Amino acid sequence: MLSDDPARADVRTLSRSRWGQILDEALVDLLGRTGEASAHLINGALSSRDLQVKARRYRLAVDDAHGMPALDSIEWTIHADASDVARQLEREN
């Protein structure tokens, strides 16, 4: 979901060099919201430099997450950006 809201960064305007950082921030947030198996996937993604690996593992962890951040919170924005990056990487694959 690429946002039309100018207050939110759009994946098309985010520097590709920041995509790993964006995914890492969202993965770290998910560590406290997932079970042990997903935590293992997340830790593997955090140690990887491969953006495709980070994006795939982010998607898997989100599916296992228990509760997501409140709408319009900083954490929600982090996950919205990470979802946009993951979708763009899926399109490129």
Side-chain angles (χ1 to χ4, degrees), residues 32-79:
R33 301 175 190 275
T34 59
E36 188 175 323
S38 287
H40 181 69
L41 286 174
I42 291 168
N43 284 321
L46 289 170
S47 64
S48 177
R49 291 181 181 223
D50 185 330
L51 289 176
Q52 295 289 343
V53 168
K54 288 181 182 292
R56 278 193 303 273
R57 292 187 178 193
Y58 172 75
R59 292 288 210 181
L60 290 170
V62 164
D63 290 343
D64 187 43
H66 306 287
M68 289 303 282
L71 187 63
D72 293 331
S73 67
I74 292 171
E75 292 83 6
W76 181 86
T77 301
I78 289 168
H79 285 285

